[in-house]
């Protein structure tokens, strides 16, 4: 079963038009069908389905086709039921459908853009998986492959020369600026986390879960890139392989799902040049060098204004204290006024300049109120620590509901971006700034029972990279910290469980759980001048737990 989706694509001429993103999907269907599989193809348009079915049948492939918009629950269920009725079962799912209704600077993307991209590219991929798993289990196992992108590792961004009219001697000048696929790349990073979580939970059902990350493949979906000569020249100069790939990339999908790689699970097959993989590896290794940095001055953040969300307890409060002890005026927030008052009183006992307010980061009006109050009280913004997160679910990921995914992706990912979008103009007025996202070691290594939460934390790694690239020219550094198991009320469900703790203590090099102050110190370092050459990185503070993305 290989779903694909039609969508709005922004062409190289800047116009929007409907396209079909089935080129890789069709090639994958052909590769599987040529090896004996009965393939079920889908698209939002019946005409495209009919054309694909007719083409595949010329190769004597057993094929069934139907319309399906994977963003709609009734369409997903119809696809599954039709497959069962026509074919008797399901063994393989290749989740290829994706949308990208946006091309440009990530800070110009809207909330609607993020809702659409996260819903189709991440949530729908999971919900379709949830539907097929029981039927794979009836067959004794199966294979699931998500189609991600090399943009999950390396944000796709290109330089574009755009004419700007200036009234200077009536001369037309040109300004070079960066445009890209930021929100799309973040969603593709999330798929890496989804792959790991599902692979862990489904191994006992003999279901393997893997992911492929294509580079620039010659499809209509990517024509905005490969039809642009400037982009292609840049690609050729930076890549080991001097040409874009055709959908023969589907051979990798075929290898993953046909038993040629029986020992492979929760891995990503990267179709891009090796240097991209090396770059991502160095990103994971380089944070380990931070341990040798000199201790910060206690006045290293004098005059800075720092917003820390979800900062009345746990890691957020420890971070606010660490920044405040180094001279920053900190703005703390929480959804409960009593918690805000308590945190403000505690911080003031340490002679920290502090302002507090209530804020539910999931609400647009609360985010705007937080920013405006900070400007009114403090005069500007230099630092944002995005720490707020929710986890309304604990259990097997396949038991999570659509409402759970809506809540987690909205608060943990989308709200983190939207808050960033609000603060950036004010940081630019101050000549730069620092943004730190609080992710989790679960972004690299799935934590049992916290599947959707871990996926959202993987998405933050992608958001960090995309924003770091786009904001570097504004002297704004963007980094991320991925704590391991830290003793907070939020993580009590883990560290209060003796069985989990016994297993956990056998994993890290440092055989204890972490303390909140150990994370606050890392965040303060990232916001200091001592870290002035660090951006786009994720520092893992996990007691020695390994990381790989």
């Amino acid at each position: 079963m290989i779903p694909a989706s039609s969508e709005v694509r922004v062409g190289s001429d800047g116009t929007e038009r409907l396209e079909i993103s089935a080129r890789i999907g069709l090639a994958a269907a052909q590769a599987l069908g040529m090896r004996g599989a009965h393939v079920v193809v889908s698209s939002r348009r019946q005409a495209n389905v009919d054309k694909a079915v007719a083409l595949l049948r010329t190769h004597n492939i057993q094929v069934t086709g139907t319309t399906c918009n994977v963003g709609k629950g009734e369409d997903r269920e119809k696809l599954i039921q039709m497959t069962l009725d026509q074919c008797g079962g399901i063994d393989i799912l290749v989740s290829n459908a994706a949308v990208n209704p946006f091309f440009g600077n990530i800070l110009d993307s809207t909330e609607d853009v993020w809702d659409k991209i996260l819903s189709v590219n991440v949530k729908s991929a999971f919900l379709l998986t949830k539907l097929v798993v029981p039927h794979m289990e009836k067959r004794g196992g199966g294979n699931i492959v998500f189609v991600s992108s090399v943009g999950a590792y390396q944000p796709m961004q290109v330089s574009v020369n755009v004419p700007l009219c200036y009234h200077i001697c009536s001369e037309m000048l040109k300004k070079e600026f960066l445009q890209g696929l930021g929100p799309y790349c973040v969603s593709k990073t999330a798929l890496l986390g989804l792959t790991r979580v599902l692979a862990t939970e489904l191994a006992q059902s003999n279901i393997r879960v893997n992911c492929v990350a294509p580079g620039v493949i010659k499809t209509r979906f990517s024509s905005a890139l490969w039809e642009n000569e400037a982009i292609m020249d840049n690609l050729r100069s930076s890549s080991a392989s001097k040409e874009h790939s055709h959908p023969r990339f589907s051979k990798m999908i075929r290898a993953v799902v046909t038993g040629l790689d029986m020992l492979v699970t929760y891995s990503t097959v990267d179709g891009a040049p090796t240097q991209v993989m090396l770059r991502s590896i160095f990103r994971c290794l380089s944070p380990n060098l931070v341990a040798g940095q000199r201790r910060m001055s206690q006045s290293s953040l004098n005059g800075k204004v720092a917003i820390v969300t979800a900062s009345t307890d746990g890691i957020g409060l420890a971070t606010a204290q660490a920044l405040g002890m180094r001279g920053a005026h900190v703005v703390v927030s929480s959804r409960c006024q009593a918690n805000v008052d308590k945190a403000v009183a505690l911080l003031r006992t340490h002679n920290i300049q502090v302002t507090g307010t209530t804020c539910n980061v999931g609400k647009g009006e609360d985010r705007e109120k937080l920013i405006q109050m900070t400007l009114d009280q403090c005069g500007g913004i230099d630092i944002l620590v995005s720490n707020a997160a929710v986890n309304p679910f604990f259990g097997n990921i396949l038991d999570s509901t659509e409402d759970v995914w809506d809540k987690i992706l909205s608060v943990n990912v989308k709200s983190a971006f939207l808050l960033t979008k609000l603060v950036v103009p004010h940081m630019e007025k101050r000549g730069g700034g620092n943004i730190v996202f609080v992710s989790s070691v679960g972004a690299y290594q799935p934590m049992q029972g916290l599947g959707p939460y871990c996926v959202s934390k993987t998405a933050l790694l992608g958001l960090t990279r995309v924003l770091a690239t786009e904001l570097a020219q504004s002297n704004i550094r963007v980094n991320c910290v991925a704590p391991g198991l830290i003793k907070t009320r939020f993580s009590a469900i883990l560290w209060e469980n003796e069985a989990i703790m016994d297993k956990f203590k056998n994993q890290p090099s440092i055989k204890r759980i972490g303390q909140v102050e150990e994370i606050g110190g890392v965040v303060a370092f990232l916001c200091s001048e001592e870290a002035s050459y660090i951006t786009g990185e994720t520092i893992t503070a996990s007691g020695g737990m390994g990381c790989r993305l």
Side-chain angles (χ1 to χ4, degrees), residues 208 210 252 254-265 269:
R208 294 188 299 118
N210 291 287
M252 295 186 185
R254 182 189 70 219
V256 171
V257 301
T258 56
L260 298 180
D261 295 299
M262 291 300 293
L263 296 180
V264 177
T265 191
V269 181

Side-chain angles (χ1 to χ4, degrees), residues 304-312 316-317 320-321 323-324 327-334 336-337 339-349 351-359 369-381 383:
K304 303 296 184 183
V305 177
I307 295 175
V308 186
T309 63
S311 46
T312 60
L317 180 59
Q321 182 171 336
L323 294 171
H329 184 145
V330 294
V331 178
V332 298
S333 64
S334 169
C336 176
Q337 184 65 54
N339 291 337
V340 172
D341 294 341
K342 184 177 179 181
V344 168
L346 175 64
L347 292 171
R348 284 177 177 164
T349 64
N351 296 318
I352 290 172
Q353 283 185 291
V354 57
T355 303
T357 185
T358 55
C359 179
K369 183 191 74 174
L370 172 63
I371 301 305
Q372 191 58 53
M373 189 219 67
T374 302
L375 296 174
D376 294 342
Q377 297 289 320
C378 309
I381 302 169
I383 295 167

Side-chain angles (χ1 to χ4, degrees), residues 18-39:
L18 284 173
E19 293 289 355
I20 182 74
S21 66
R23 188 75 183 271
I24 290 176
L26 181 59
Q30 183 173 338
L32 294 170
M34 293 291 284
R35 277 146 187 84
H38 185 147
V39 294

Side-chain angles (χ1 to χ4, degrees), residues 62-328:
Q62 282 185 291
V63 57
T64 303
T66 185
T67 55
C68 180
N69 179 346
V70 297
K72 295 182 177 180
E74 59 270 25
D75 276 23
R76 293 190 297 265
E77 292 174 359
K78 183 190 74 172
L79 174 63
I80 301 304
Q81 192 58 54
M82 190 220 67
T83 302
L84 296 173
D85 293 342
Q86 297 289 319
C87 308
I90 302 170
D91 302 283
I92 297 166
L93 169 66
V94 180
S95 182
N96 175 57
V99 297
N100 181 48
F102 176 82
F103 183 76
N105 189 298
I106 190 172
L107 294 178
D108 295 327
S109 60
T110 65
E111 184 167 0
D112 287 343
V113 164
W114 283 84
D115 283 338
K116 181 70 172 178
I117 288 177
L118 292 175
S119 178
V120 174
N121 299 7
V122 185
K123 186 181 72 174
S124 293
F126 164 74
L127 292 172
L128 195 56
T129 299
K130 184 175 179 178
L131 289 174
V132 303
V133 163
H135 304 291
M136 289 183 174
E137 289 176 328
K138 290 177 183 177
R139 310 264 281 196
N143 282 279
I144 298 168
V145 178
F146 297 110
V147 179
S148 178
S149 166
V150 72
Y153 298 99
Q154 183 66 29
M156 293 181 177
Q157 192 176 58
V158 296
S159 295
V160 183
N161 284 322
V162 176
L164 297 173
C165 290
Y166 289 88
H167 298 290
I168 304 176
C169 304
S170 300
E171 186 178 0
M172 180 75 78
L173 300 179
K174 288 187 175 181
K175 180 180 179 181
E176 185 174 76
F177 72 106
L178 294 173
Q179 287 192 334
L181 305 172
Y184 173 82
C185 292
V186 172
S187 73
K188 292 301 185 177
T189 307
L191 287 182
L192 308 186
L194 183 60
T195 299
R196 294 197 179 101
V197 173
L198 286 169
T200 302
E201 296 206 7
L202 294 178
Q204 60 186 358
S205 296
N206 195 32
I207 298 173
R208 294 188 299 118
V209 185
N210 291 287
C211 186
V212 290
V216 178
I217 309 298
K218 192 171 185 179
T219 68
R220 282 183 290 179
F221 184 84
S222 64
S223 61
L225 298 177
W226 57 262
E227 285 179 350
N228 186 310
E229 282 297 323
I231 295 173
M232 289 309 298
D233 288 343
N234 184 55
L235 177 69
R236 294 185 188 104
S237 65
S238 64
S239 300
S241 174
K242 301 302 180 184
E243 60 181 29
H244 49 71
S245 175
H246 290 272
R248 59 179 177 270
F249 182 83
S250 60
K251 294 178 181 177
M252 295 186 185
I253 297 176
R254 182 189 70 219
V256 171
V257 301
T258 56
L260 298 180
D261 295 299
M262 291 300 293
L263 296 180
V264 177
T265 191
Y266 66 91
S267 66
T268 300
V269 181
D270 196 336
T274 304
Q275 64 174 10
V276 175
M277 288 297 291
L278 290 175
R279 195 177 295 122
S280 67
I281 291 169
F282 281 121
R283 275 205 175 96
C284 285
L285 292 177
S286 57
N288 295 324
L289 303 177
V290 172
Q293 292 286 344
R294 64 187 182 279
R295 185 173 180 176
M296 283 178 290
S297 163
Q298 290 296 297
S299 60
S300 63
L301 297 176
N302 270 348
K304 303 296 184 183
V305 177
I307 295 175
V308 186
T309 63
S311 46
T312 60
D313 193 16
I315 290 174
L317 180 59
T319 297
Q321 182 171 336
L323 294 171
M325 293 292 285
R326 288 160 177 82

